Amino acid sequence: MKRWYVAYTQPTAELRAAGHLKRQGFDAYLPLCRQIRRHARREETVLRPLFPRYVFVALDLDIDHWGSVNGTVGVSNLV
Protein backbone atom coordinates (compact mmCIF):
# COMPACT_ATOMS: atom_id res chain seq x y z
CA MET A 1 0.00 0.00 0.00
CA LYS A 2 1.50 3.29 -1.08
CA ARG A 3 1.60 6.23 1.29
CA TRP A 4 2.68 9.81 0.64
CA TYR A 5 5.95 11.02 2.15
CA VAL A 6 7.68 14.39 1.97
CA ALA A 7 11.13 14.88 0.46
CA TYR A 8 13.05 17.98 1.52
CA THR A 9 14.88 19.41 -1.49
CA GLN A 10 17.88 21.59 -2.03
CA PRO A 11 17.17 25.31 -2.51
CA THR A 12 15.28 26.01 -5.77
CA ALA A 13 15.66 22.39 -6.89
CA GLU A 14 12.03 21.27 -6.54
CA LEU A 15 11.37 20.84 -10.28
CA ARG A 16 14.67 19.05 -10.83
CA ALA A 17 14.05 16.69 -7.90
CA ALA A 18 10.49 15.88 -9.02
CA GLY A 19 11.71 15.18 -12.54
CA HIS A 20 14.47 12.84 -11.39
CA LEU A 21 12.09 11.01 -9.02
CA LYS A 22 9.62 10.44 -11.87
CA ARG A 23 12.40 9.13 -14.13
CA GLN A 24 13.28 6.59 -11.44
CA GLY A 25 9.68 5.35 -11.41
CA PHE A 26 8.43 7.03 -8.24
CA ASP A 27 5.11 8.88 -8.07
CA ALA A 28 6.13 12.46 -7.32
CA TYR A 29 3.78 15.38 -6.79
CA LEU A 30 4.86 19.02 -6.83
CA PRO A 31 1.95 21.45 -6.38
CA LEU A 32 2.55 24.70 -8.27
CA CYS A 33 0.80 28.08 -8.07
CA ARG A 34 0.82 31.03 -10.43
CA GLN A 35 2.52 34.17 -9.20
CA ILE A 36 2.92 37.57 -10.81
CA ARG A 37 6.50 38.79 -10.85
CA ARG A 38 7.06 42.50 -11.41
CA HIS A 39 10.36 43.90 -12.55
CA ALA A 40 11.25 47.09 -14.42
CA ARG A 41 7.64 47.98 -15.22
CA ARG A 42 6.96 44.52 -16.60
CA GLU A 43 4.68 41.86 -15.25
CA GLU A 44 5.31 38.20 -15.82
CA THR A 45 3.32 35.20 -14.63
CA VAL A 46 5.51 32.39 -13.33
CA LEU A 47 4.81 29.03 -11.75
CA ARG A 48 6.25 28.65 -8.24
CA PRO A 49 6.12 25.70 -5.85
CA LEU A 50 3.25 25.99 -3.37
CA PHE A 51 5.50 24.54 -0.66
CA PRO A 52 9.08 25.70 -1.35
CA ARG A 53 11.75 23.01 -0.84
CA TYR A 54 9.21 20.15 -0.54
CA VAL A 55 8.14 17.40 -2.96
CA PHE A 56 5.60 14.68 -2.16
CA VAL A 57 6.55 11.08 -3.00
CA ALA A 58 4.27 8.01 -2.93
CA LEU A 59 6.14 4.99 -1.57
CA ASP A 60 5.34 1.44 -0.55
CA LEU A 61 8.04 0.78 2.03
CA ASP A 62 7.75 -3.01 1.56
CA ILE A 63 8.46 -2.82 -2.18
CA ASP A 64 10.16 0.50 -3.02
CA HIS A 65 13.76 1.23 -2.12
CA TRP A 66 13.23 4.48 -0.23
CA GLY A 67 16.98 4.92 0.23
CA SER A 68 17.34 5.77 -3.44
CA VAL A 69 15.08 8.81 -2.86
CA ASN A 70 17.77 10.30 -0.60
CA GLY A 71 20.33 9.80 -3.36
CA THR A 72 18.23 11.54 -5.99
CA VAL A 73 19.62 14.72 -7.53
CA GLY A 74 17.98 17.71 -5.85
CA VAL A 75 16.72 15.85 -2.77
CA SER A 76 18.33 16.46 0.61
CA ASN A 77 16.41 13.84 2.63
CA LEU A 78 13.04 12.33 3.43
CA VAL A 79 11.11 14.02 6.21
Side-chain angles (χ1 to χ4, degrees), residues 4-46:
W4 288 97
Y5 295 90
V6 178
Y8 187 66
T9 66
Q10 297 168 352
T12 66
E14 299 91 354
L15 288 172
R16 185 175 356 143
H20 284 286
L21 286 167
K22 288 180 182 179
R23 276 188 225 110
Q24 292 179 28
F26 293 109
D27 292 329
Y29 176 63
L30 177 62
L32 300 173
C33 64
R34 294 184 195 277
Q35 190 177 43
I36 296 174
R37 183 171 62 181
R38 293 180 179 95
H39 178 70
R41 297 183 189 166
R42 287 186 312 148
E43 287 187 357
E44 183 178 43
T45 303
V46 293

Side-chain angles (χ1 to χ4, degrees), residues 59-76:
L59 297 172
D60 185 355
L61 296 180
D62 295 330
I63 299 171
D64 295 327
H65 299 287
W66 61 270
S68 61
V69 173
N70 284 339
T72 302
V73 174
V75 174
S76 292

